Amino acid sequence: MSTRSGIGYDSHRLAAGRRLVLGGVEIEGAELGLEGHSDADVLTHAVVDALLGAAGLGDIGQHFPDTDKRYRDADSADLLSEVCSFLEDHAWTIVHIDATVVCERPTLGPYRDRMRTCLAATAGLRPLEVNVKFTTGEGMGFVGRGEGIGALAVATVERAQ
Ligand code: MG
C-alpha cells in the first residue's frame, strides 16, 4: 500500500454583500462574506488542494481556473466532489482530512460538526475521518484585522502499490 499526504492553503478577502460559506456550510447572520470567483469557500478550497497534493495531481487553479466562466459562483462542494472522483479515477482512496480555519470572527465553533459532516459526506468519508479546527490571528495580520479568512488542510490518501 502506498500512503501519501498533501497540504493545502487558501485565503480569501472578506467583503460586504457576500455569503460566508465554510466547509460547505453557510454561516447564518455573518456581517461579511468571502469574495472570490466561486463561492470562495476557503476551507473547502484548502481541502481540495490538500487532496490534489497528496495524489500528486496538481492544484485547484489548474483544475478550476478562475478565468473559466463555468466556475463563476460555483458551489465549492461540487469542486470537492469532482476532485474526489478524479482521485478515485487514479485509484486513490481518501483516508483522512484535517483542517484549520484561521478566522477572527464570527465564532465558528458552533458550526464545527456541520462542517465535518458536510465535508465528509462530499468526500465519501465518515465524519470521524474529517477534523476541522479553528483559531484566530490574535489581532495580528490580515486575519487579525478582519480583512480575510485563511485555511490550511492536510489530506492522507492511499492506494495499492
Ligand atoms: Mg480559493
Side-chain angles (χ1 to χ4, degrees), residues 10-12 38 40-42 45-46 60:
D10 195 25
S11 59
H12 280 266
S38 64
D41 181 340
V42 70
H45 292 182
I60 191 169

Short mmCIF file of all heavy atoms in Angstrom, two decimals, residues 10-12 38 40-42 45-46 60, ligand 1:
data_model
loop_
_atom_site.label_atom_id
_atom_site.label_comp_id
_atom_site.label_asym_id
_atom_site.label_seq_id
_atom_site.Cartn_x
_atom_site.Cartn_y
_atom_site.Cartn_z
N ASP A 10 -5.32 28.23 1.63
CA ASP A 10 -6.04 29.22 0.84
C ASP A 10 -6.43 30.40 1.73
O ASP A 10 -6.48 30.26 2.97
CB ASP A 10 -7.30 28.60 0.22
CG ASP A 10 -7.89 29.45 -0.89
OD1 ASP A 10 -7.14 30.24 -1.51
OD2 ASP A 10 -9.11 29.35 -1.15
N SER A 11 -6.68 31.53 1.11
CA SER A 11 -7.20 32.69 1.84
C SER A 11 -8.10 33.47 0.90
O SER A 11 -7.88 33.45 -0.32
CB SER A 11 -6.06 33.58 2.35
OG SER A 11 -5.27 34.04 1.28
N HIS A 12 -9.11 34.09 1.44
CA HIS A 12 -9.98 34.96 0.66
C HIS A 12 -10.30 36.20 1.49
O HIS A 12 -10.31 36.16 2.72
CB HIS A 12 -11.30 34.24 0.30
CG HIS A 12 -11.17 33.32 -0.88
ND1 HIS A 12 -11.45 33.70 -2.17
CD2 HIS A 12 -10.76 32.03 -0.95
CE1 HIS A 12 -11.22 32.68 -2.99
NE2 HIS A 12 -10.80 31.65 -2.28
N SER A 38 -15.62 31.80 -7.23
CA SER A 38 -16.62 30.80 -6.85
C SER A 38 -17.33 31.33 -5.60
O SER A 38 -17.33 32.52 -5.34
CB SER A 38 -15.92 29.48 -6.55
OG SER A 38 -15.07 29.63 -5.43
N ALA A 40 -16.10 31.05 -2.88
CA ALA A 40 -14.96 31.45 -2.05
C ALA A 40 -14.88 30.70 -0.72
O ALA A 40 -14.38 31.23 0.27
CB ALA A 40 -14.96 32.98 -1.82
N ASP A 41 -15.34 29.46 -0.73
CA ASP A 41 -15.29 28.61 0.47
C ASP A 41 -13.83 28.20 0.71
O ASP A 41 -13.33 27.21 0.19
CB ASP A 41 -16.19 27.39 0.26
CG ASP A 41 -16.24 26.46 1.46
OD1 ASP A 41 -15.33 26.52 2.31
OD2 ASP A 41 -17.18 25.65 1.51
N VAL A 42 -13.17 29.02 1.52
CA VAL A 42 -11.73 28.90 1.73
C VAL A 42 -11.34 27.55 2.34
O VAL A 42 -10.29 26.99 2.01
CB VAL A 42 -11.28 30.13 2.57
CG1 VAL A 42 -11.80 30.03 4.00
CG2 VAL A 42 -9.81 30.37 2.55
N HIS A 45 -11.60 24.88 -0.36
CA HIS A 45 -10.50 25.06 -1.31
C HIS A 45 -9.19 24.50 -0.75
O HIS A 45 -8.41 23.87 -1.48
CB HIS A 45 -10.32 26.54 -1.67
CG HIS A 45 -11.45 27.10 -2.47
ND1 HIS A 45 -11.48 28.39 -2.93
CD2 HIS A 45 -12.62 26.52 -2.88
CE1 HIS A 45 -12.61 28.59 -3.60
NE2 HIS A 45 -13.31 27.48 -3.57
N ALA A 46 -8.93 24.73 0.53
CA ALA A 46 -7.71 24.19 1.15
C ALA A 46 -7.76 22.65 1.14
O ALA A 46 -6.75 22.00 0.87
CB ALA A 46 -7.56 24.72 2.58
N ILE A 60 -5.68 23.39 -7.34
CA ILE A 60 -7.07 23.79 -7.64
C ILE A 60 -7.15 24.75 -8.83
O ILE A 60 -8.06 24.66 -9.65
CB ILE A 60 -7.73 24.38 -6.36
CG1 ILE A 60 -9.24 24.55 -6.55
CG2 ILE A 60 -7.07 25.70 -5.95
CD1 ILE A 60 -9.99 24.88 -5.26
MG MG B 1 -9.81 29.84 -3.06
#
